[in-house]
Amino acid sequence: MTKFYGTGVALITPFNEDLSVDHEALKNIVNYNVENGTDYLVISGTTGESVTITKEEKKAIIATIVETNNGRLPLVLGIGGNNTANVIEEIKSTDLSQIDAVLSVSPYYSKPTQEGIYQHFKAISEVCPVDIILYNVPGRTASNMLPETTLRLANDFKNIVAVKEAGNNMGQYLRLLKDKPEDFLIISGDDDLALGVVLAGGAGVISVIGQGLPKQFSKMIKLGLEGKAKEAYDIHFKLMDIVGYIFAENNPAGIKAVYQALGLASDAVRLPLVPATEELKEKIKDFIANLG
């Protein structure tokens, strides 16, 4: 289970100007993260614009990342949705031989009850051949998977090994950390709260900004896991502004502006998202230039 400790990153899907997938940029991004301290890679999450990626594109993206990574880091694949039967079908029809875990979001839009959420993940657990990381992100799903439901799933299913908690609610994190089974991992999905969660006993983070500044961000999380709070917070304070910038308009427009400033990818996103404004891009460029 130590493979999901530290800094995981929710990779973007870089696009060419015609909005086709830029596989060369994707290879460069994978290498950049592998070489600069990232601990594992998350494919096709929200930050990867998964909702506007076709099935064929998703297969090709997975193939590029698997080939480029070449077994260097653990890989997590996003497979989730609000149609339980479709999620099960995708799990069954996807080659997961090179994938270490599936990241599966709590059902969005449908607003199921807590029992509905439990039954959704129970059905997925029963068919999934690899570990499952639950993903709670109420700001996007319009429903909150309560700690009681997460912990019930953690206790009932061996292959449900972690939760990416992204409710931006420190009280909810602490409730999970207090009551979780010993080997169940609480992973922060909030870049701004990640260090506090780690210092309270969390396993790490699945980060957005971490992929743009992997050296600094992964070092901060590593120091947190070692209990070196002061050194870790020194880095946290240096990165606070950029974390605010990348979420100021929409994700992943902000992190794509970071990659554009680094010369690693274009800032193109697919509708209904739009690129970051020039004003925000200038702030991001200035921050990167001054970070050293």
Side-chain angles (χ1 to χ4, degrees):
M1 282 310 304
T2 52
K3 64 176 79 168
F4 305 124
Y5 273 83
T7 301
V9 297
L11 292 170
I12 66 158
T13 300
F15 297 128
N16 296 299
E17 291 310 318
D18 66 357
L19 296 184
S20 60
V21 177
D22 184 345
H23 286 274
E24 282 311 305
L26 187 55
K27 290 175 192 173
N28 292 338
I29 285 165
V30 170
N31 285 324
Y32 175 67
N33 274 276
V34 172
E35 290 158 14
N36 283 286
T38 295
D39 294 299
Y40 59 99
L41 305 173
V42 180
I43 307 166
S44 202
T46 310
T47 306
E49 292 173 75
S50 54
V51 293
T52 56
I53 300 289
T54 67
K55 284 180 184 175
E56 292 73 24
E57 286 173 330
K58 187 172 182 177
K59 267 187 192 167
I61 287 163
I62 294 166
T64 293
I65 293 171
V66 166
E67 185 187 347
T68 309
N69 179 55
N70 195 24
R72 291 178 290 175
L73 295 183
L75 299 177
V76 175
L77 177 63
I79 304 180
N82 61 345
N83 181 332
T84 310
N86 277 4
V87 176
I88 288 169
E89 181 50 43
E90 186 176 348
I91 286 169
K92 285 179 172 177
S93 62
T94 301
D95 177 8
L96 298 173
S97 60
Q98 302 298 310
I99 301 297
D100 295 273
V102 161
L103 176 70
S104 199
V105 69
S106 183
Y108 45 79
Y109 189 76
S110 306
K111 294 175 83 168
T113 62
Q114 296 301 307
E115 185 61 27
I117 294 169
Y118 176 88
Q119 292 298 335
H120 170 83
F121 282 121
K122 175 178 187 277
I124 290 168
S125 168
E126 286 167 351
V127 301
C128 191
V130 297
D131 287 340
I132 297 166
I133 300 172
L134 307 173
Y135 181 18
N136 184 41
V137 57
R140 289 186 181 274
T141 62
S143 76
N144 182 26
M145 182 164 64
L146 295 174
E148 294 79 6
T149 303
T150 302
L151 297 171
R152 185 179 166 204
L153 287 161
N155 282 304
D156 288 356
F157 303 101
K158 278 199 171 68
N159 61 343
I160 296 179
V161 298
V163 63
K164 177 189 177 185
E165 177 65 32
N168 215 255
N169 178 340
M170 202 63 198
Q172 187 148 303
Y173 278 114
L174 294 174
R175 174 63 56 191
L176 287 163
L177 287 164
K178 174 181 170 289
D179 294 336
K180 73 180 187 70
E182 191 180 351
D183 56 354
F184 186 75
L185 307 182
I186 311 302
I187 298 168
S188 175
D190 299 300
D191 283 351
D192 56 341
L193 299 182
L195 179 56
V197 172
V198 166
L199 288 167
V205 63
I206 293 176
S207 173
V208 177
I209 192 58
Q211 67 188 299
L213 303 171
K215 207 170 269 184
Q216 296 91 334
F217 201 85
S218 65
K219 187 178 181 191
M220 177 188 81
I221 296 298
K222 189 167 180 289
L223 287 166
L225 287 167
E226 291 167 1
K228 295 175 180 171
K230 188 188 178 307
E231 297 99 310
Y233 268 112
D234 286 345
I235 301 172
H236 174 87
F237 293 137
K238 277 182 195 150
L239 299 180
M240 266 177 75
D241 286 350
I242 192 72
V243 170
Y245 295 158
I246 65 162
F247 295 110
E249 292 178 359
N250 71 57
N251 179 42
I255 187 63
K256 284 192 166 182
V258 171
Y259 273 131
Q260 186 183 49
L262 292 167
L264 283 168
S266 84
D267 68 335
V269 290
R270 286 179 177 173
L271 286 168
L273 301 183
V274 292
T277 57
E278 288 306 318
E279 184 189 4
L280 182 59
K281 284 200 272 196
E282 280 307 312
K283 284 183 184 172
I284 287 170
K285 252 188 257 178
D286 289 347
F287 182 94
I288 303 259
N290 292 321
L291 188 63

